[in-house]
């Protein structure tokens, strides 16, 4: 047996149980691909000739995850394993989902419905590797190739067009020419795919080792509907001394740089996705903010704030959750503070930023600063890194000394002001914020005595 995979104990047991009951069962799809590549599979999917009801009868703890599509989740301790009945997808009338699914007892038919040759392999210990479409060969050559006729396959489900680029980005593979040709012809159909499905693939693409596959996506017309902002970034040259890249190449470089930062590497998957979207969109308003001075240098004055606004629109379009939208837009709004507030006392900048974006997001902002600085003209890198280091030091000090950076930490509150005779109402908030701005500049001013005296005037 040429190709062997070490299956996790739980997967082995599930397959054995099904086989003992007279059914076929295999690990299938992404987990087989990843195991053969010596990558860690995200999850182990199992495909079987048993019908969902038959699967459920064999295992004590199951969840009906997608029973109408034949998927049952088998629970083993804390972990769940999706077991799906061999199936044939019915006709696709809408470029998105099959009108119906039919269960089958043939593994071959199940593998035929899968998107790419490298994703259409199955494995178990009794049979070894089942590879009916040259998946191994493509895996070794680094090729993404549709199973069967690419035009038909992409017409059935347009999401596969984006998935091809996503796999190319994750695996560092190239897309086979006929497959690519069909992608270009049919990319307009992505318009009808749901935002959630698009977002899931896009998130994986920008979280991969090759975010620059976004250029391929643009060339194939994949970003035109869901991310036209990217197409504009590709067309926008920076034409000034600070930059050696156009906006899009700079952006792709910042994503790669982000992945090298400690903050990113220590972040949760959700936070990583948020940071990737932040970098993807941090300069998205540059195309609309571009101006030239009399020396022919391009400027992008004030691009951060409209960038945050535009990013909000993009992230809403992709139906991102509110927390992600809030974090991204705040980080984008202040991503260029390093330059805007150059020359200011580092501690003041830091307290200001902690107040505006929220203390818990500061490590993320440092990751953004670092990624951004690393993708500019190299002669400015050392200066930027020094400034970032100064801000980091200041941040540690502000945190350890407990400086006031928000209303909660302010030494006076609304009740104190009312005791001075201020009427209840919105004015209270305004006065408190004014006092806070004073304290952000001068932390020693955060005493009741000083602030009440100031409020009296
Ligand atoms: P990941 O490691 O990101 O989970 P994956 O290959 O496992 O990658 P999934 O989206 O989890 O991708 O899908 C599991 C398997 O189901 C794929 O390997 C493929 O065989 C099949 N598949 C998934 N989506 C499609 C689709 N849109 N069209 C055809 N087959 C698909
Ligand atoms: Mg998977």
């Amino acid at each position: 047996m040429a190709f062997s995979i070490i299956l996790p104990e739980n997967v082995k047991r599930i397959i054995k149980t099904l086989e003992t009951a007279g059914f076929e069962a295999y690990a299938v799809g992404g987990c087989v691909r990843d195991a053969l590549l010596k990558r860690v599979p995200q999850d182990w999917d199992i495909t079987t000739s048993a019908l969902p009801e038959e699967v459920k009868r064999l295992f004590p703890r199951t969840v009906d995850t997608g029973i109408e599509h034949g998927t049952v989740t088998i629970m083993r301790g804390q972990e769940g394993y999706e077991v799906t009945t061999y199936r044939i997808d019915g006709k696709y009338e809408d470029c998105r989902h099959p009108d119906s699914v039919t269960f089958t007892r043939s593994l071959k038919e199940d593998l035929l419905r899968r998107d790419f040759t490298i994703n259409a392999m199955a494995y178990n210990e009794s049979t070894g590797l089942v590879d009916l479409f040259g998946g191994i060969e493509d895996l070794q050559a680094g090729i993404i190739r549709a199973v069967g006729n690419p035009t038909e396959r992409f017409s059935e489900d347009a999401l596969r067009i984006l998935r091809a680029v996503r796999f190319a980005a994750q695996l560092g593979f190239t897309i086979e020419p006929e497959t690519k040709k069909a992608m270009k012809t049919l990319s307009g159909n992505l318009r009808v795919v749901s935002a959630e499905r698009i977002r899931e693939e896009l998130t994986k693409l920008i979280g991969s080792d090759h975010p620059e596959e976004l250029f391929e996506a643009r060339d194939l017309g994949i970003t035109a509907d869901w991310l036209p902002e990217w197409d504009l970034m590709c067309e926008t040259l920076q034409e000034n001394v600070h930059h050696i890249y156009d906006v899009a190449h700079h952006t792709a470089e910042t994503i790669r740089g982000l992945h090298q930062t400690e903050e990113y590497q220590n972040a949760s998957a959700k936070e990583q996705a948020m940071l990737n979207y932040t970098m993807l969109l941090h300069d998205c308003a540059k195309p609309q903010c571009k101006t030239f001075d009399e020396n022919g240098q391009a400027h992008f004055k004030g691009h951060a704030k409209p960038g945050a606004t535009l990013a909000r629109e993009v992230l809403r379009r992709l139906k991102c959750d509110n927390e992600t939208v809030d974090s991204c837009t705040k980080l984008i709004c202040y991503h260029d503070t390093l330059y805007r507030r150059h020359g200011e006392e580092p501690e003041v900048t830091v307290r200001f930023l902690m107040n505006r974006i929220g203390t818990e997001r500061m490590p993320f902002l440092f990751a953004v600063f670092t990624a951004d600085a690393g993708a500019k003209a190299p002669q400015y890198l050392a200066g930027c890194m020094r400034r970032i280091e100064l801000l980091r030091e200041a941040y540690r000090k502000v945190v350890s000394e407990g400086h006031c950076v928000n209303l909660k930490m302010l030494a006076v509150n609304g009740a104190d002001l009312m005791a001075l005779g201020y009427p209840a109402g919105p004015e209270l908030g305004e006065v408190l914020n004014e006092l806070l701005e004073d304290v952000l500049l001068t932390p020693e001013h955060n005493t009741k005595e000083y602030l009440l005296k100031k409020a009296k005037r």
Side-chain angles (χ1 to χ4, degrees):
M1 200 168 58
F3 297 97
S4 87
I5 291 175
I6 300 169
L7 300 175
E9 258 339 286
N10 283 334
V11 175
K12 271 193 219 172
R13 276 208 212 118
I14 293 169
I15 291 175
K16 261 276 135 11
T17 305
L18 285 158
E19 286 181 335
T20 308
F23 300 107
E24 294 174 10
Y26 295 84
V28 70
C31 59
V32 174
R33 175 199 69 220
D34 289 343
L36 290 169
L37 288 171
K38 309 272 182 273
R39 295 165 70 98
V40 182
Q42 287 228 331
D43 35 40
W44 290 82
D45 294 327
I46 295 160
T47 186
T48 180
S49 60
L51 294 169
E53 290 311 316
E54 294 170 328
V55 173
K56 285 172 71 171
R57 247 175 270 141
L58 289 170
F59 297 92
R61 286 202 300 141
T62 62
V63 182
D64 291 0
T65 348
I67 197 107
E68 65 283 13
H69 302 112
T71 304
V72 173
T73 299
I74 295 176
M75 298 305 299
R76 292 252 159 193
Q78 291 298 311
E79 291 188 77
Y81 297 84
E82 289 197 350
V83 177
T84 305
T85 304
Y86 294 165
R87 66 175 214 227
I88 305 170
D89 293 339
K91 268 178 76 161
Y92 287 71
E93 298 290 358
D94 59 357
C95 326
R96 286 181 287 183
H97 11 65
D99 300 342
S100 61
V101 303
T102 321
F103 299 135
T104 162
R105 299 280 185 184
S106 154
L107 172 64
K108 180 176 179 188
E109 296 201 272
D110 182 81
L111 295 178
L112 263 172
R113 76 171 167 89
R114 295 175 184 271
D115 46 9
F116 304 109
T117 59
I118 58 167
N119 287 348
M121 292 183 277
Y123 182 92
N124 69 19
E125 291 190 330
S126 42
T127 313
L129 187 71
V130 179
D131 173 22
L132 307 176
F133 314 109
I136 270 290
E137 224 172 284
D138 286 341
L139 205 59
Q140 285 169 338
I143 290 173
I144 310 288
R145 184 197 311 269
V147 171
N149 179 315
T151 303
E152 281 173 24
R153 305 318 307 284
F154 294 131
S155 305
E156 289 168 355
D157 179 5
L159 184 72
R160 292 171 187 159
I161 298 168
L162 176 53
R163 280 170 65 85
V165 179
R166 184 267 273 200
F167 287 118
Q170 283 184 319
L171 305 172
F173 282 20
T174 50
I175 303 169
E176 178 274 323
E178 286 303 308
T179 299
K180 197 188 273 194
K181 213 166 104 190
M183 288 164 67
K184 187 160 190 166
T185 309
L186 294 167
S187 55
N189 289 349
L190 277 164
R191 204 174 306 134
V192 300
V193 175
S194 75
E196 290 82 355
R197 294 180 81 210
I198 297 279
R199 185 192 63 226
E200 207 167 305
E201 297 299 326
L202 191 58
T203 301
K204 288 180 178 174
L205 200 172
I206 59 180
S208 76
D209 284 347
H210 299 282
E212 71 279 6
E213 281 294 322
L214 277 169
F215 294 110
E216 177 93 299
R218 183 233 179 189
D219 293 343
L220 296 172
I222 294 172
T223 45
D225 283 305
W226 284 97
L227 203 59
E229 293 77 9
W230 175 254
D231 295 24
L232 277 177
M233 286 189 249
C234 289
E235 291 156 23
T236 306
L237 300 179
Q238 306 222 61
E239 304 174 81
N240 68 37
V241 293
H242 298 282
H243 286 282
I244 50 174
Y245 299 118
D246 60 59
V247 176
H249 278 87
H250 161 74
T251 297
E253 276 307 305
T254 64
I255 298 176
R256 291 159 69 93
L258 171 73
H259 296 175
Q260 305 302 316
T261 63
E262 225 181 288
E263 290 86 359
Y264 180 85
Q265 289 169 7
N266 292 332
S268 69
K270 187 172 175 225
E271 290 165 340
Q272 289 189 339
M274 179 279 290
L275 282 167
N276 284 321
Y277 280 108
T278 300
M279 287 337 297
L280 175 67
L281 299 169
H282 78 285
D283 277 347
C284 68
K286 273 194 170 177
Q288 72 194 49
C289 293
K290 187 170 176 178
T291 56
F292 285 97
D293 66 20
E294 61 282 3
N295 304 317
Q297 289 267 316
H299 294 275
F300 303 93
K301 291 211 179 91
H303 70 280
K305 219 171 171 195
T309 308
L310 184 54
R312 180 178 297 276
E313 191 186 314
V314 174
L315 297 168
R316 289 258 163 83
R317 181 190 310 147
L318 292 168
K319 300 219 161 80
C320 288
D321 62 278
N322 290 338
E323 167 61 27
T324 299
V325 177
D326 279 355
S327 292
C328 285
T329 48
K330 287 211 167 77
L331 292 170
I332 291 171
C333 198
Y334 295 98
H335 81 269
D336 63 339
T337 335
L338 199 56
Y339 318 103
R340 262 197 286 143
R341 299 177 73 111
H342 206 268
E344 183 178 67
E345 178 109 27
E347 278 181 37
V348 174
T349 307
V350 161
R351 285 191 297 267
F352 165 83
L353 288 171
M354 289 167 80
N355 172 258
R356 295 304 196 265
I357 71 166
T359 307
E360 66 293 347
R361 294 194 180 100
M362 281 304 283
F364 296 143
L365 188 63
F366 284 119
V368 171
F369 284 162
T370 308
D372 197 16
K376 302 197 176 202
Q379 68 266 32
Y380 295 99
L381 180 61
C384 291
M385 294 313 283
R386 250 195 318 276
R387 177 83 185 152
I388 295 172
E389 204 34 62
L390 285 177
L391 292 180
R392 279 183 194 278
E393 258 168 50
Y395 171 63
R396 284 190 286 270
K397 181 160 176 234
V398 167
V399 171
S400 75
E401 293 184 0
H403 294 183
C404 164
V405 294
N406 54 43
L407 286 179
K408 250 189 272 155
M409 300 170 89
L410 199 67
V412 298
N413 59 27
D416 296 323
L417 293 186
M418 276 161 41
L420 279 187
Y422 280 91
E427 199 207 345
L428 274 188
E430 279 166 38
V431 176
L432 286 172
N433 273 313
E434 237 170 81
L435 296 175
L436 178 60
E437 292 298 320
D438 178 337
V439 168
L440 290 177
L441 283 173
T442 318
E444 302 80 58
H445 285 177
N446 193 32
T447 64
K448 249 197 163 119
E449 195 191 353
Y450 173 90
L451 294 173
L452 290 180
K453 207 160 125 198
K454 179 167 171 150
K456 245 185 218 158
R457 267 187 263 132

